Amino acid sequence: MTTATALLTEEEFLTSKYDGYELVDGEPVEVPMSRESARIGGVVFRRIGDHAETNELGDAFPQDTAFKAWPYRPRHFRKPDAMFFAVGRLPGPDAPDGVIEIAPDLAVEVVSPGDNARDLEEKVAEYLEAGVRLIWVIYPETRSAYVFRLNGGALRLEADDALSGEDVLPGFTLPLEALFPRAHEATAAEGEPTGNR
Amino acid sequence: MATATKIRLTEEEFLSCPDWDGYELVDGEPVEVPMGGKAAWLGGEAFHHIRTFLEHNPIGLVFPQDTAFKAWPSRPNHLRKPDTMVFLNGRFPGDEVPEGAIEIPPDLAVEVVSPGDNARDLEEKVAEYLEAGVRLIWVIYPETRSAHVFRLNGGALRLGADDALSGEDVLPGFTLPLARLFPAEVTR
């Protein structure tokens, strides 16, 4: 009997052992995250979380929160670097704790140096298929971002542009330069890895 | 061709030696652009469709894979090779195709994503093309049967399998449904 890659059940996957992994049709796939991408993901999470809380718009979730929303792929979980669900979409706090089984209204991906282009576009395609209304893909190296909308629209933003919450997070604006270190620091960080400054 | 020490080349060395087919020159360093069979084939298909259009609408020239251009004055030894490029009539000095390096940005640049392509490197190319003044960029993703469109004026689009690439104001009247570009799905 040959055993292929061990496929995981939902219960096996949703333990701390698989932090930093997604479940792709039952197979755990590591999503390596650079320090800089993790930092930026954290900043975006805090900003959208603060805005959502202040304006009672809904709930934000940080890295390593999984959701599934592909009915014909029961063992398929993705973990955007930040997610937002509009108020009323998730079961209330009294409901039994469990897996998030609906698509977020906003999903954020921060690109790490090792990320594969095809895999990233596959995620975007899956998010749109699942019904995610707004997707931000943030590229730290080029200080740019792509915006994808469920209605088919897209944008490419540069360092002096700002992410907008549009109709998903009304009133939310985040200038990209708030996410990236100032230009001279970025230049200094571009060389070989030198550990912590 | 990988060696322990980094190879540095001038533009002349890079363009005069066939060893560097399949490489771009990134600030003097040759960087391989690995191309899968499917991506190479699709690049050829895109070239063919544009070439056919230009035969009936002679408004410019289309170049295939492995044609280099440079258009970054501050980076003398920096050459990129989109999978397909279009230059409209009147762009080349004297309206003649240069014998040597092409030193102006194309009006349209097409990239076909290969399985090994890095996401950051790809966006870096898009940023460089826009910085150089490329008016229209198509990034084609065979696996998801989708495409990203970027315009110099800042607009962008994501096309799904049922959508079509449009020549917009660069190739007016050109339309290429993605369904026609990608091979028919044989799996059920």
Side-chain angles (χ1 to χ4, degrees):
Chain A
M1 239 181 3
T2 54
T3 50
T5 313
L7 297 183
L8 302 181
T9 63
E10 183 177 311
E11 291 69 32
E12 288 165 332
F13 172 67
L14 294 171
T15 60
S16 58
K17 193 177 157 194
Y18 289 103
D19 281 358
Y21 285 77
E22 293 180 327
L23 193 67
V24 177
D25 294 318
E27 190 186 333
V29 174
E30 196 170 359
V31 276
M33 172 151 270
S34 72
R35 186 190 69 180
E36 182 61 2
S37 298
R39 185 188 68 78
I40 292 170
V43 174
V44 175
F45 161 70
R46 286 202 311 276
R47 294 290 191 99
I48 60 178
D50 287 349
H51 183 86
E53 194 180 321
T54 306
N55 299 283
E56 298 180 354
L57 295 172
D59 297 302
F61 291 84
Q63 280 148 26
D64 251 317
T65 312
F67 82 97
K68 59 182 234 181
W70 301 271
Y72 58 98
R73 302 172 81 173
R75 295 179 181 196
H76 195 70
F77 285 85
R78 292 295 190 184
K79 292 179 177 174
D81 294 319
M83 281 195 281
F84 165 77
F85 292 86
V87 69
R89 291 207 52 233
L90 287 171
D94 299 336
D97 211 12
V99 187
I100 298 179
E101 300 200 3
I102 58 171
D105 294 282
L106 165 68
V108 183
E109 291 288 339
V110 185
V111 177
S112 283
D115 283 355
N116 179 277
R118 184 192 59 176
D119 293 350
L120 181 61
E121 165 64 5
E122 207 160 274
K123 267 188 213 190
V124 169
E126 286 180 14
Y127 291 175
L128 293 172
E129 189 201 329
V132 179
R133 292 163 62 199
L134 187 61
I135 303 167
W136 298 338
V137 179
I138 299 169
Y139 289 87
E141 299 280 323
T142 39
R143 307 163 71 81
S144 57
Y146 295 176
V147 176
F148 299 101
R149 305 188 189 109
L150 188 57
N151 66 16
L155 276 178
R156 180 179 177 278
L157 304 177
E158 297 197 334
D160 45 4
D161 298 320
L163 292 162
S164 160
E166 305 190 6
D167 56 342
V168 175
L169 264 180
F172 181 82
T173 304
L174 178 54
L176 284 186
E177 57 188 16
L179 296 179
F180 305 127
R182 277 163 294 155
H184 68 274
E185 290 174 85
T187 311
E190 259 173 26
E192 302 298 315
T194 52
N196 294 328
R197 265 171 283 173
Chain B
M1 206 162 281
T3 54
T5 51
K6 277 186 183 173
I7 299 171
R8 312 293 295 187
L9 299 175
T10 64
E11 175 190 322
E12 290 71 29
E13 289 166 335
F14 176 72
L15 289 176
S16 61
C17 179
D19 283 359
W20 302 114
D21 282 357
Y23 284 74
E24 293 179 326
L25 194 65
V26 177
D27 294 317
E29 188 187 335
V31 173
E32 196 170 1
V33 275
M35 174 151 267
K38 196 190 243 182
W41 177 73
L42 284 171
E45 287 293 291
F47 171 84
H48 163 78
H49 286 291
I50 296 170
R51 178 73 186 79
T52 305
F53 174 85
L54 289 174
E55 213 167 290
H56 301 288
N57 308 268
I59 59 170
L61 301 173
V62 60
F63 291 76
Q65 281 149 25
D66 249 318
T67 313
F69 82 98
K70 59 181 253 183
W72 301 272
S74 59
R75 305 171 79 174
N77 294 313
H78 192 72
L79 289 95
R80 291 293 192 185
K81 292 178 177 174
D83 294 319
T84 303
M85 284 194 280
V86 171
F87 293 86
L88 296 182
N89 294 341
R91 296 279 325 285
F92 291 126
D95 234 355
E96 292 232 355
V97 179
E99 297 278 351
I102 297 177
E103 304 203 356
I104 57 170
D107 295 282
L108 166 67
V110 184
E111 290 287 341
V112 184
V113 178
S114 281
D117 283 354
N118 179 278
R120 181 193 60 177
D121 293 350
L122 181 60
E123 159 59 7
E124 207 159 272
K125 267 188 212 190
V126 170
E128 286 180 13
Y129 292 176
L130 292 171
E131 189 201 328
V134 179
R135 290 164 62 197
L136 187 61
I137 303 167
W138 296 339
V139 179
I140 296 169
Y141 289 87
E143 298 285 321
T144 39
R145 307 169 76 82
S146 58
H148 296 177
V149 176
F150 301 97
R151 305 187 189 111
L152 188 56
N153 67 16
L157 273 179
R158 181 183 178 276
L159 305 178
D162 300 330
D163 300 319
L165 292 162
S166 160
E168 305 193 7
D169 57 343
V170 175
L171 292 176
F174 178 84
T175 306
L176 177 54
L178 289 183
R180 243 184 102 198
L181 183 63
F182 297 122
E185 275 184 30
V186 284
T187 50
R188 298 281 124 186

